[in-house]
Amino acid sequence: MTTSENKLSSGNSAKGFFSKLVSNQLFIPLAALLLLVVFNLAADPTFFKISLEPSSTGYYILSGNLISIIDNASELAILAIGMTLVTSASGGQDISVGSAIAIAGSVVLRVVKGYSEGISGGEFAGIMIGAFILCVIVSALFGAFNGALVAYFKIQPMVATLILFTAGRSIAAWINNNENISINDTRFGYFGNFLPAIPIPTPVFISALCMIIIAVVLKVTNLRLYSQAVGINASSSRLNGINPKTIKLLTFIILGVCVAVCGFIKVSRTSSITYAVIANNIEMDAILAVALGGNNLGGGKFNMTASILGAYVIQFLTTTLYKFKVSSSAISAYKAVVVILLIIMSAPIVRKWITDQKNKRAAARLRKEAA
């Protein structure tokens, strides 16, 4: 083989590798993450500093921007799991998750607000377990309500979930008679902050557990296959023995369980609730995480890892903007730019243009090689 042939072969190999890399669904979130890392390294290398510092309770905990990103993205990563399944099966998104989190958190506080601070550890654990189980049941029921509207009444997901989006926070306030409940027992804050003598935030462990559970579920069941089949073509999936209504309903219930976990963490972080503020606009971030993961918002195939990674990228962006003194009111504008870019990139006409250009280059290369 001559030198020129070696160069041509090497060039084709490099192009093939780059083409595979770009076509990988993880490319977009990983590229976005890399851009944020490079930007922060150039702007302020101390951004990545992690230190072990004493907390108000006297225990040493890990502190730093990276720890804050991983910690604060926990709820969003959990929501991205449920939102990905709903998007895949129904071809739409649930915009009520922020309001549903307020309901879930309100249920938890309603259960625990009456206990005495002096109760034993065993009684406290029983109360917390009971509060969490009730929270999961309530959130799953609201998820089933949304799912029933979508699956059985064939209402568009965004329209169906608009009902709970509008009424959810009022329901949350009604549960506790519109009182802003506060829990003074420090043990209640363990689940949203730090366990004694554990330097890593507790929500990190909770989100990791949720990821492991969904990974196992997708591995040992047909949930991934059925959700994608229903999202791609519900009629064909029905002919193949899959009940589209059941699958859509199930995905909304799973999202409801994810909402319950997020609500539990949210109220534990502050040991209180503000109905109008808690999880405000988190539904938009959850949808953006799914889109940033390269998943089709019209339903069908999905990559759960990409969605979860997208959640961490969004939190990385948010933390970066706060770091550089961007006002909280302007952060939504920056995220809107990301949404616009993602929508344009995923538009059918843009994808068709990219495919046409790729085919033209391939055809030109074949003509050149033939000549």
Side-chain angles (χ1 to χ4, degrees), residues 315-327:
Q315 186 57 50
F316 203 135
L317 173 62
T318 302
T319 302
T320 300
L321 294 173
Y322 277 126
K323 170 71 175 177
F324 292 95
K325 310 299 182 184
V326 176
S327 65

Side-chain angles (χ1 to χ4, degrees), residues 121-321:
E123 291 176 308
F124 174 78
I127 289 172
M128 295 308 300
I129 291 172
F132 178 70
I133 291 174
L134 183 59
C135 169
V136 168
I137 292 172
V138 171
S139 296
L141 287 173
F142 277 110
F145 170 75
N146 287 333
L149 292 178
V150 173
Y152 293 95
F153 293 91
K154 302 189 182 304
I155 301 174
Q156 286 291 328
M158 279 197 176
V159 177
T161 57
L162 184 62
I163 298 171
L164 192 57
F165 173 82
T166 305
R169 296 184 186 276
S170 297
I171 295 172
W174 170 78
I175 289 171
N176 281 301
N177 299 317
N178 208 26
E179 299 176 3
N180 289 326
I181 306 299
S182 295
I183 306 298
N184 296 322
D185 195 320
T186 56
R187 293 174 295 180
F188 182 72
Y190 290 165
F191 307 96
N193 297 287
F194 293 86
L195 290 167
I198 303 296
I200 300 173
T202 309
V204 175
F205 296 111
I206 297 175
S207 60
L209 178 61
C210 291
M211 294 175 201
I212 293 170
I213 291 172
I214 194 63
V216 172
V217 169
L218 294 177
K219 184 71 175 177
V220 303
T221 70
N222 290 324
L223 179 61
R224 179 193 295 274
L225 175 64
Y226 289 174
S227 298
Q228 293 179 154
V230 170
I232 293 171
N233 192 319
S235 299
S236 295
S237 63
R238 186 184 300 107
L239 293 176
N240 285 282
I242 303 172
N243 189 332
K245 294 178 181 178
T246 301
I247 298 301
K248 289 179 182 180
L249 181 65
L250 179 61
T251 58
F252 274 94
I253 291 173
I254 292 173
L255 178 56
V257 175
C258 293
V259 164
V261 177
C262 293
F264 189 80
I265 294 173
K266 284 288 186 186
V267 293
S268 180
R269 284 190 186 277
T270 59
S271 294
S272 62
I273 187 170
T274 304
Y275 305 107
V277 174
I278 183 173
N280 195 29
N281 293 327
I282 198 172
E283 56 273 1
M284 298 298 107
D285 286 345
I287 296 169
L288 180 55
V290 177
L292 189 57
N295 297 295
N296 185 0
L297 295 182
K301 291 186 177 181
F302 67 87
N303 187 317
M304 189 65 74
T305 302
S307 293
I308 293 171
L309 184 58
Y312 286 100
V313 172
I314 293 167
Q315 186 57 50
F316 203 135
L317 173 62
T318 302
T319 302
T320 300
L321 294 173

Side-chain angles (χ1 to χ4, degrees), residues 48-97:
F48 297 95
K49 180 182 177 182
I50 297 176
S51 58
L52 199 61
E53 299 179 356
S55 67
S56 58
T57 58
Y59 295 103
Y60 280 87
I61 60 174
L62 290 173
S63 177
N65 289 313
L66 286 180
I67 301 300
S68 296
I69 291 168
I70 297 172
D71 178 21
N72 294 328
S74 297
E75 295 98 305
L76 186 56
I78 295 169
L79 272 186
I81 292 171
M83 190 68 76
T84 301
L85 293 173
V86 165
T87 299
S88 173
S90 69
Q93 292 73 45
D94 186 339
I95 63 172
S96 69
V97 291

